């Protein structure tokens, strides 16, 4: 599905820049969950005990407790008049209301603000027309749900976090423009926003906080489950032979994935911001470095395989998963199949290499695109002309052009990708292939390995299954 994209709402008079812009306002979020989920996570502060697996809705509520986020929540007149409460009165309207449905919010200072949804009668009509598409749903219930979305829009919220499956699945513009997201998706957006401010909580603000490197280190092992054993055996070989190359190759894979994740953050932040020449430059620069580090991780793993199979040291530069002759020398059917021509691994790695190799030539030109069907200006990156047809064929074979963010304009204008859509499609696929490559590289055959057990991570608050699940939610990435 990829990382959620929140369309920038049109700025109202006096509204400062958006939350991902330089000097922008806080992230503005409306939370539509049940009362029991509107609570801060119960954590006793014991860092020696593992963290529980997160409840997405409670986790979201806990993360948005800080002052850096403007959080509002859908309540009723019976709920306490607490900060963030939004009360939408039921209809029907008084004839004197002139088709305006008034509702109110309470901000963090306790001040009430009035808003209005207009034209109310239009949404009544929509509800009557559309309710039949949902089994057992009355027009009155669907209207109440639509009004939640419209209230979020009137408040100019950046997203609506909801547990309502009908709002989440609706394709109607009057719903989708409010950016309805599940709690899991909303945590990913909140996580990116907090990282853009240098904040890395895994429970809530000022409770249990990591740093960037610690968070990305945990992510590496979730994206590459085979890395720990593979790296440990390479390190054992280093100690046995007094040659630091094996350990350094393992570290290189880890460090390049960390840098790749850092570049991804910068790319996503640039794509979320109002598009200018500056954000365009940042986006393309981040994509460049992202690709360099991703391909670098594959190359380091290939050199590790070259070492494992004791191939000539003076031929190390020939190591590469794209090189059929080198692969045959490994005599490893699993690795040959993984990167066989037209295989998924072959296609994915060729996509990475062709785009990475633009650093040696024409680069990755970008354009700004305005479309009526999209609420904001988009930055698109052009594919290299000589490889465009091959890349498009790979996209077709690996899920389709839309899934990769491909746009074909024809008439000599070229083929373009939405960089954020592209990297979100690429990361889980590429990490799956890289993990298969290191898993099928038999490091256990190296000198000095012997019989030993790789100990699992110490189970404490800073590294436990619950901590890792939170990190992946915050990063908006699936575990491999």
């Amino acid at each position: 599905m990829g990382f959620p994209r929140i369309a920038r709402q049109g700025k109202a008079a006096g509204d400062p820049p958006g939350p991902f812009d330089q000097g922008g306002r806080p992230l503005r979020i409306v939370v539509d969950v049940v009362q029991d989920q509107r609570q801060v996570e119960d954590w006793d502060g014991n860092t020696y005990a593992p963290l529980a697996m997160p409840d997405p809705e409670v986790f979201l509520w806990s993360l948005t407790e800080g002052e850096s986020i403007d959080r509002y929540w859908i309540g009723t007149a019976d709920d306490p008049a607490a900060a963030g409460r939004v009360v939408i009165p039921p209809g029907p309207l008084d004839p004197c209301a002139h088709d305006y449905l008034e509702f109110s919010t309470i901000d963090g200072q306790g001040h009430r603000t009035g808003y209005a949804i207009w034209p109310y009668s239009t949404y009544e009509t929509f509800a009557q027309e559309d309710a039949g598409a949902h089994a057992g749903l009355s027009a009155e219930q669907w209207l109440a749900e639509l009004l939640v979305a419209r209230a979020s829009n009137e408040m100019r919220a950046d997203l609506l976090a909801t547990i309502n499956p009908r709002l989440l699945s609706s394709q109607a513009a009057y719903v989708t423009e409010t950016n309805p997201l599940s709690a899991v998706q909303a945590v990913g957006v909140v996580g990116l926003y907090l990282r853009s401010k240098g904040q890395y909580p895994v429970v809530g603000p000022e409770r249990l906080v990591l740093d960037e490197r610690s968070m990305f280190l945990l992510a590496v092992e979730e994206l590459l489950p085979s890395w720990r054993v593979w790296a440990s055996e390479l390190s054992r070989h280093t100690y046995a032979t007094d040659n630091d190359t094996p350990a350094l190759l393992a570290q290189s894979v880890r460090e390049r994935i960390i840098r790749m994740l850092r570049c991804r953050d910068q790319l996503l932040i640039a794509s979320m911001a109002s598009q200018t020449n500056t954000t365009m430059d940042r986006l393309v620069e981040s994509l460049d470095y992202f690709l360099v580090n991703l391909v670098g991780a594959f190359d380091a793993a290939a050199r590790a395989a070259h070492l494992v199979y004791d191939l000539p040291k003076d031929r190390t530069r020939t190591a590469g998963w794209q090189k059929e002759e080198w692969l045959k020398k490994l005599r490893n059917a699993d690795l040959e199949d993984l990167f066989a021509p037209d295989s998924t691994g072959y296609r994915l790695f060729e996509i990475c290499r062709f785009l990475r190799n633009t650093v040696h030539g024409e680069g990755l030109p970008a354009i700004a695109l305005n479309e009526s069907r999209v609420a904001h200006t988009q930055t698109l990156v052009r594919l290299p002309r000589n490889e465009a047809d091959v890349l498009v064929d790979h996209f077709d074979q690996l899920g389709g052009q839309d899934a990769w963010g491909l746009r074909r304009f024809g008439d000599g204008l070229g083929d373009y990708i939405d960089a954020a859509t592209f990297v979100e499609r690429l990361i889980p696929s590429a990490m799956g292939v890289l993990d298969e490559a290191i898993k099928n590289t038999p490091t256990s055959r190296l000198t000095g390995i012997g019989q030993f057990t790789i100990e699992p991570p110490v189970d404490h608050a800073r590294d436990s299954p619950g901590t890792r699940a939170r990190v992946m939610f915050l990063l908006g990435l699936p575990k491999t």
Side-chain angles (χ1 to χ4, degrees), residues 81-84 105-113:
T105 67
I106 301 174
D107 67 18
Q109 305 300 317
H111 301 139
R112 292 178 182 269
T113 303

Side-chain angles (χ1 to χ4, degrees), residues 41-53 202-203 208 457-468 470:
E41 183 175 3
D42 184 19
W43 180 61
D44 62 8
N46 181 6
T47 58
Y48 295 99
L51 285 183
M53 297 298 287
V202 289
V203 175
L208 180 61
V458 178
D459 205 13
H460 55 72
R462 294 184 177 277
D463 188 0
S464 66
T467 312
R468 291 175 176 231
R470 293 159 190 266

Side-chain angles (χ1 to χ4, degrees), residues 93-102 116-122:
L93 286 184
D94 186 290
C96 298
H98 302 292
D99 219 16
Y100 285 88
L101 176 67
E102 296 183 352
I117 298 171
W118 180 90
Y120 177 79
S121 60
T122 298

Side-chain angles (χ1 to χ4, degrees), residues 45-67:
N46 181 6
T47 58
Y48 295 99
L51 285 183
M53 297 298 287
D55 175 287
E57 288 76 24
V58 174
F59 189 30
L60 175 64
W61 189 268
S62 301
L63 289 170
T64 54
E65 278 285 293
E67 295 181 357

